[in-house]
Amino acid sequence: MPTPVTVSEQQLQTQFTYIDAVASLVRDKRPRAYTHTFGCQQNEADTERIRGMLHEMGYEMTDDVNEADFILFNTCAVREHAEDRAFGNIGALSHLKKQRPEVIIALCGCMAQQEKNVEKIKKSYPQVSLLFGTHALWRFPSLLYRVLTGEKRVFDIGGADDIAEGLPVLRKGGAKAWLSIMYGCNNFCTYCIVPYVRGRERSRRPEEIEKELRELVAAGYKEITLLGQNVNSYGKDLGLDIDFADLLRRLNAVPGDFWLRFMTSHPKDASPRLFDAMAECEKVAKQLHLPFQSGSDEILRRMNRRYTAAEYKQLIAYAREKMPDITLSSDIIVGFPGETEEDFAQTLALVREVRFDLLFTFLYSPRSGTPAASYEDNATPAEKQARFERLLRAQDEIVAERQAAYQGKRLRLLIDGTAKGPDYPFTARTEGNLLVCVRGENLRIGEFIEAEIEKTTLRCLFARKM
Ligand code: SAH
Ligand code: SF4
Ligand code: F3S
């Protein structure tokens, strides 16, 4: 496999020149930028890069779309619903564009990497004057410059599978930060659009990742989540003697008091070696998101997942043996083409056997261009919906029991936000990433505290600082 191409120093330097050029164009206008992100954490991390570039150009960020001079939607193509929402949002802005034609409306991300959507935007959404795909993100300064200097519509969906290091980034602040360790996906699960819109797997160099982690720790971030579509295949493309378990060990050695999380793991590449590293690294939170998608081997085969339900359960057993308190979450697709009642029963059985702390359940959504989109379907939407609801009910019963078991426990928590209710004014997370509402003296976002769980509900634990 070729080692990943890093965008050259010179190419990046050109973009920094455009950042300055845009800055001098907009400086006197005190411009404001609004961004909205759909989709996964990768997209959120990308938006932070774009906000970083906008910030360097002199834009102030706003949460009010009506007062923005630059509006950006970073889009997701993983399910039809995500696409519909993005189109709906852009459609709703046509009146704003009529009132204030100078407003720039831009669209980027995974939808913008797909020909069919680009054509639709070109034809039916004239209010969009800038569109760029996931591979063109680092070229954003030059693209915006072209719009600002009079080009009517700028579309850039070209680009190779490369890595751009050193782009500015504007994070939200608070306790948590994303840290991308790799991009793209090689797995081609038959239902999934991600490999088509994100390109092939490419890993950042370990020293770049470590450098960014050190910066994040120095900036006071306490929970850093390593991101990739399949972090377990980290390093395979680097030609160095390093895999994801090695990377975890290396990052665990960075001084400071923080939790490291990671997502997403793919069961076919998750190994005892990884769980050993997790267990040994004290900063790696004992929490695992390991999507299994279906409990039926036949469906897994047709999804091209390359593991069986039995292999999945073995992995979980090993992880629990090494880390008895580990919290587990997973993704499940209900209603994959050809899923029978028997297949679905196996998914339910796996859920009941493993007893996850958290599940993300999705109704299958056909994505054009993926193999599964042309697979023959059998179940009706009503049948699929009924399965979906059965799964939710089964999971709710498990969660209720698991949550109740926390009653009276003492745990280390990281305060990460403010809560709505007056009684428990802050939110926090357990090491296992469970949501907690907390009360107590002198609470501050970004602080680790010891707390006792006072009561529990299905969605939240309630705790008092000790
Ligand atoms: N790379 C990650 C997740 C990517 S997308 C992984 O492999 O686990 C997040 C989740 O969306 C997937 O785990 C899957 O459950 C769901 N998903 C992906 N494509 C989908 C589709 N076409 N319809 C419904 N759910 C889908
Ligand atoms: Fe999609 Fe599968 Fe890749 Fe995850 S591993 S992004 S589900 S193709
Ligand atoms: Fe969506 Fe793209 Fe992420 S399709 S789930 S935003 S990689």
Side-chain angles (χ1 to χ4, degrees), residues 145-421:
Y145 180 82
R146 282 163 58 189
V147 179
L148 284 167
T149 50
E151 227 176 292
K152 273 254 158 337
R153 303 186 89 187
V154 174
F155 283 56
D156 182 351
I157 56 165
D161 289 349
D162 45 23
I163 293 180
E165 293 290 357
L167 293 176
V169 49
L170 184 63
R171 291 187 162 89
K172 281 217 180 75
K176 304 175 175 197
W178 310 120
L179 173 45
S180 295
I181 64 164
M182 59 191 297
Y183 307 94
C185 180
N186 289 354
N187 289 322
F188 290 96
C189 303
T190 55
Y191 51 81
C192 185
I193 198 71
V194 171
Y196 304 88
V197 292
R198 288 273 170 178
R200 294 296 65 73
E201 273 172 10
R202 50 215 187 270
S203 306
R204 291 180 70 195
R205 297 186 64 83
E207 62 273 18
E208 295 284 354
I209 298 170
E210 185 186 322
K211 183 169 144 240
E212 193 169 343
L213 176 64
R214 285 178 183 273
E215 287 163 6
L216 291 171
V217 173
Y221 289 100
K222 300 288 184 214
E223 180 193 295
I224 293 115
T225 305
L226 311 177
L227 295 181
Q229 290 300 343
N230 176 13
V231 291
N232 307 133
S233 49
Y234 174 80
K236 283 184 183 168
D237 55 333
L238 280 176
L240 304 168
D241 190 20
I242 185 167
D243 68 3
F244 184 57
D246 298 326
L247 182 72
L248 278 184
R249 288 202 161 89
R250 176 167 175 166
L251 299 181
N252 188 64
V254 169
D257 189 13
F258 58 91
W259 278 334
L260 275 177
R261 302 187 192 280
F262 57 88
M263 66 188 303
T264 299
S265 300
H266 192 302
K268 84 173 161 59
D269 301 309
S271 62
R273 204 178 130 72
L274 167 66
F275 299 141
D276 291 347
M278 275 182 85
E280 284 162 31
C281 293
E282 75 286 355
K283 288 170 193 158
V284 175
K286 304 302 175 262
Q287 174 238 326
L288 181 67
H289 182 62
L290 194 63
F292 73 91
Q293 314 296 358
S294 168
S296 152
D297 289 346
E298 174 55 17
I299 296 291
L300 287 172
R301 191 184 63 73
R302 280 194 280 132
M303 285 176 163
N304 189 32
R305 291 290 289 182
R306 288 172 278 175
Y307 53 85
T308 63
E311 285 163 352
Y312 182 86
K313 286 189 282 190
Q314 271 166 18
L315 281 174
I316 297 291
Y318 188 86
R320 280 195 165 139
E321 185 192 317
K322 288 281 158 174
M323 296 166 279
D325 291 331
I326 192 170
T327 50
L328 295 168
S329 57
S330 197
D331 294 348
I332 298 177
I333 296 178
V334 175
F336 185 77
E339 182 189 78
T340 62
E341 184 52 36
E342 177 52 29
D343 293 318
F344 175 72
Q346 289 173 351
T347 297
L348 259 188
L350 199 151
V351 163
R352 292 204 167 106
E353 190 176 331
V354 173
R355 299 174 60 82
F356 295 92
D357 297 273
L358 186 64
L359 281 184
F360 299 90
T361 39
F362 307 105
L363 272 171
Y364 170 70
S365 170
R367 307 284 64 212
S368 72
T370 64
S374 56
Y375 291 0
E376 205 176 320
D377 211 347
N378 50 345
T380 63
E383 283 168 331
K384 292 183 181 194
Q385 185 64 35
R387 285 176 196 165
F388 188 78
E389 283 164 21
R390 278 162 67 198
L391 185 57
L392 294 188
R393 280 199 299 277
Q395 177 61 11
D396 277 355
E397 281 174 27
I398 295 163
V399 171
E401 288 173 22
R402 289 188 74 83
Q403 291 277 98
Y406 281 94
Q407 181 71 39
K409 281 205 176 157
R410 287 186 183 188
L411 298 171
R412 184 164 201 240
L413 303 178
L414 173 63
I415 303 178
D416 67 349
T418 48
K420 287 196 194 90

Side-chain angles (χ1 to χ4, degrees), residues 37-44 46 74-79 82 109-111 114 134 192-195 197-198 229:
T37 312
F38 298 92
C40 64
Q41 293 77 8
Q42 266 88 359
N43 254 18
E44 288 180 18
D46 283 351
N74 192 0
T75 60
C76 170
V78 82
R79 281 171 292 274
C110 296
M111 272 173 77
Q114 283 184 296
T134 56
C192 185
I193 198 71
V194 171
V197 292
R198 288 273 170 178
Q229 290 300 343

